[in-house]
Amino acid sequence: MTVEQTRNLRQKLIALALRHQKPGAGSSVAFLTRRTANVKWYDPGPILAPLPWAVVGAVATRHYMPERMTKDLDLIVVADSAGLVRQKLQAAGLKYMGELSVSRSQWLTPANEELDVLEGNESWWPVALSEAQNNRDLQGLPILPLPYLSLMKFKAGRLQDIADMGRMLGQASPKQLELVRVIFRQHAAPDELEDLESIIALGQLEIQ
C-alpha cells in the first residue's frame, strides 16, 4: 500500500467513526484504565545487550491501554545494528524463520514463541529507543514511548492501528498528548495533524 493509499484509508476510517461514535459507547472506565502484564513474553534483553531495542506492536500497547491477545512479540532495533542483532539471536539458539516484509524478520525462541524483529530506518529511531530504556511495562520490558508508538501506528494506517491509537490517546494526560503533538509536528505531514486530533477526539469520546 502506498503512502497516499494509507492516508486515504485512514481518513475514511476516522470519518466513519466520527459519524457514528457516541460518548461513553465503549467499555467501562475501570476496564479501559486497567494495566496488566498477564502474558509473560520472551525477554531478549540479556541477548541483545548493550544494543538498544524496544517492544512495539500489540504487546507494547498494554502499557497504555488494556492488554489484548496477540500471538507474537514485536521488537524494533535501529537498522544499522540489524546485522549484529541477527547474529546475537542465532548465537542464542533462536531459529530464523524468514522475512515477513522489508526490514522485518521472524524468529522462533527455544520455547517456540514467535518473535518479529523490525528495523527502524527513520532518523528518530535512536532517540526513541534510548527513551524506551526508561519506559518499562509491568513485566520490565522496554516499551516504545507513546509519541513514537502513536507515530508508528499512524504511519501503518491499518484498522487495528487506528483503533489502538484512539484507545491509547483517549486516556493520555494533557502532558502526554502535547508530547505526541510535538513528535507529529516534527515527523508527520502538516495535513496529517488534523487526523491526529480526530483520533484523539474519538478516543476521548470512548472514555467519557
Side-chain angles (χ1 to χ4, degrees):
M1 187 181 296
T2 67
V3 173
E4 188 60 31
Q5 287 173 326
T6 299
R7 181 177 298 180
N8 289 337
L9 176 59
R10 181 177 63 241
Q11 291 174 342
K12 288 179 181 178
L13 290 172
I14 293 170
L16 177 64
L18 285 171
R19 285 198 301 271
H20 295 281
Q21 186 164 329
K22 303 293 189 298
S27 303
S28 69
V29 173
F31 171 77
L32 291 173
T33 56
R34 183 183 307 151
R35 299 293 175 265
T36 60
N38 294 324
V39 179
K40 303 304 178 186
W41 292 94
Y42 179 79
D43 182 0
I47 296 170
L48 298 182
L51 299 176
W53 62 280
V55 174
V56 295
V59 179
T61 64
R62 70 182 182 179
H63 195 50
Y64 308 107
M65 67 182 221
E67 188 171 9
R68 62 180 175 83
M69 295 300 297
T70 182
K71 66 183 181 66
D72 55 14
L73 174 67
D74 295 335
L75 64 87
I76 193 157
V77 299
V78 292
D80 289 346
S81 67
L84 183 54
V85 166
R86 294 183 182 220
Q87 292 176 22
K88 285 176 172 285
L89 293 176
Q90 288 180 322
L94 277 77
K95 183 179 180 182
Y96 172 69
M97 301 300 292
E99 302 298 307
L100 295 175
S101 61
V102 176
S103 301
R104 184 183 185 123
S105 58
Q106 186 176 63
W107 301 75
L108 277 183
T109 72
N112 289 322
E113 301 166 306
E114 292 185 19
L115 178 70
D116 293 350
V117 179
L118 292 75
E119 302 166 13
N121 293 287
E122 292 87 354
S123 60
W124 47 268
W125 277 111
V127 174
L129 295 186
S130 177
E131 292 182 8
Q133 306 317 302
N134 295 315
N135 187 51
R136 304 269 170 168
D137 69 2
L138 293 175
Q139 184 184 332
L141 300 174
I143 306 299
L144 195 67
L146 181 60
Y148 298 104
L149 184 60
S150 299
L151 179 64
M152 186 180 183
K153 285 184 167 293
F154 187 85
K155 294 296 187 182
R158 296 166 299 191
L159 178 60
Q160 186 61 61
D161 291 311
I162 299 303
D164 286 345
M165 278 188 69
R167 181 156 280 189
M168 293 189 298
L169 296 179
Q171 302 177 53
S173 68
K175 181 178 179 180
Q176 289 174 315
L177 290 178
E178 185 52 37
L179 292 174
V180 171
R181 292 182 177 106
V182 167
I183 293 302
F184 269 69
R185 285 195 290 267
Q186 292 174 350
H187 302 292
D191 61 348
E192 293 177 321
L193 300 181
E194 183 177 347
D195 289 348
L196 171 64
E197 294 301 328
S198 295
I199 294 171
I200 292 172
L202 284 168
Q204 291 174 337
L205 277 175
E206 182 182 35
I207 203 168
Q208 288 178 0

